[in-house]
Amino acid sequence: MAKRRTVHVCQACGAQHPRWHGRCPDCGQWDSLVEETYQAPSAKDKGTGRGANGLAALVPAAGDEKPRRLGEIDADASPRITSGESELDRVLGGGFVPGSVVLLGGDPGIGKSTLALQVAGGLAAAGQSVLYVSGEESAAQIRLRAERLPGLGSDMQVLTTTRVEALAAPWQELVPSFVVVDSIQTIQTEAIDSAAGSVAQVRESAAQLAATAKKVGSVLLLIGHVTKEGSLAGPRVLEHLVDVVLTFEGDRAHAFRLLRAAKNRFGSTQEIGVLNMASHGLEAVENPSELFLEERSTRSPGSCVIPMLEGTRPMLVELQALVAPAPYGTPRRTTLGLEDARVALLLAVLDRRSPVDILSQDVYAKAAGGVRVAEPAADLGIALAIASSRLDQAVPADTAAVGEIGLGGEVRRVSRLDVRVAEAARLGFKRLLVPAVCFEEQKSRTKAREKGADPVCELVPIQDVAQAVDWLRENGMG
Ligand code: TYD
Ligand code: MG
């Protein structure tokens, strides 16, 4: 009998080591090595889902495996399957590609299962054959959830299992066009005997499922948990294996969610989807700006709207600041949804490069609505919100601002100004403070557009923070 050997596998990068280390010698991650049973690589293709007991071996291929000339391959033979969720389709680049594997990752409770069930139910209602595999919830729980979501087809096949091999029979019988596996961390294959959720298991199970999906031509949606560091558990190993990696993020205290593509073999990774978690499931948000500006207080000082860009999509977001005299000692700086370092830097610039003295003040700054703003183009908006609170002069309600601020106080160029201007104009903003360097080129473009029926907004060129503060003093509402 062969001796049982163990190996220490890094849960972050998947590297195997004969001995335990406090820090993975390969990727440098601390405390990530876990002891697993060593699997001798078999003569057959190990790790490709074609091992002797693999799922893929159990399910026959739909097509043949002969090489063909590139020119003879018909790309249109498999049109995309629209998911029924417009925001998901947008991120996927027009729907699922048959035979592709999509990994959906996100924090617990963010709505991954809900999204998967909605898509699965929608496809079932549209007459597609759908297999929903859950290793997390019981069939009754899935039914209960489905009852909250309107318009789901009841023909969807639900399988609750944690064994990859249990999928073979239904996969072969149903030849489903859409398979959901919730979640990849709960599923394990008999081909190897590591625990469920370990890197080896996740990799092998996913490889088997993916190989089967490719063979049969099913779309496979894998749901993956995110570790507390924010990466997908068993991360790098899975990302290589799948065609599309989607991340679902958002603040659980707020209803809106952002869907992004971290990798997409069939489309751009620039598109983002905005969804709203309602009592009857997730719904598409076509106009995120309207959602974010809904509760805006237009009269009080300390607020400024910025047209930020998420991927290719413009969104208007309100930034707020509150400046108060520091009662004792070192002034406090608290930020929510903005980067601490960015706000600290802007405070220093405001203090040195403009007449606003701020360093002895407590400053609280946040992006409203639970949005996270990381774009440098938000700088001018943040600075204006802070100055507005300090000077007690409100930025006019019909004015937004965009621009990056350098340490010299200069306002720098931003990308895609035309898209931002158009979004601000669409939402009824009359004025947009823009970097002076972008002003001329943008003006000629707007001129051309002015002839059309599109609403336009006036652009105010701003050279540096001092000029922005001057503008606020003249035009602000005190
Ligand atoms: P879920 O899809 O279970 O999250 P995940 O699979 O990512 O862990 O989502 C659970 C949350 O969504 C839960 O806190 C309740 C909320 N929810 C709604 O607000 N409305 C709904 O219609 C549904 C089904 C869930
Ligand atoms: Mg879930």
Side-chain angles (χ1 to χ4, degrees), residues 107-114 145 148-149 277-281:
D107 288 331
I110 207 76
K112 301 180 295 295
S113 305
T114 307
R145 189 202 295 264
R148 292 175 66 178
L149 311 169
M277 178 63 96
S279 58
H280 50 273

Side-chain angles (χ1 to χ4, degrees), residues 33 55 142 154 166 244 317 389 394 467:
L33 262 54
L55 170 70
I142 296 168
S154 48
V244 180
V317 174
S389 177
Q467 197 188 348

Side-chain angles (χ1 to χ4, degrees), residues 193-230:
D193 53 6
S194 314
S198 65
V199 166
Q201 263 301 348
V202 165
R203 177 172 42 197
E204 187 59 28
S205 303
Q208 288 194 16
L209 292 167
T212 314
K214 292 249 145 65
K215 257 181 156 181
V216 181
S218 316
V219 175
L220 174 63
L221 178 66
L222 296 174
I223 294 181
H225 292 295
V226 161
T227 60
K228 55 183 186 301
E229 286 83 26

Side-chain angles (χ1 to χ4, degrees), residues 5 8 38 73 116 190 207 252 293 357 365-366 399 421 424 458:
R5 283 174 55 205
H8 296 86
Y38 176 70
I73 299 172
E190 287 155 8
R252 253 196 291 169
L293 295 185
D357 72 300
K366 69 174 281 192
T399 304
V421 174
E458 180 202 343

Side-chain angles (χ1 to χ4, degrees), residues 74-82 92 94-102 123 128 171 176-179 210 212-221 243-244 266:
D74 190 2
D76 297 332
S78 45
R80 292 190 182 235
I81 305 173
T82 53
L92 289 170
F96 292 111
V97 174
S100 68
V101 185
V102 178
L123 288 173
Q128 305 267 12
W171 209 319
S177 49
F178 189 65
V179 180
T212 314
K214 292 249 145 65
K215 257 181 156 181
V216 181
S218 316
V219 175
L220 174 63
L221 178 66
D243 300 305
V244 180
F266 316 112

Side-chain angles (χ1 to χ4, degrees), residues 86-148:
S86 55
E87 297 297 297
L88 177 59
D89 284 342
R90 176 204 295 268
V91 177
L92 289 170
F96 292 111
V97 174
S100 68
V101 185
V102 178
L103 174 66
L104 174 64
D107 288 331
I110 207 76
K112 301 180 295 295
S113 305
T114 307
L115 182 63
L117 189 62
Q118 260 176 262
V119 171
L123 288 173
Q128 305 267 12
S129 100
V130 173
L131 177 62
Y132 189 100
V133 182
S134 179
E136 302 212 323
E137 289 159 290
S138 71
Q141 277 174 316
I142 296 168
R143 177 71 209 262
L144 272 179
R145 189 202 295 264
E147 271 165 15
R148 292 175 66 178

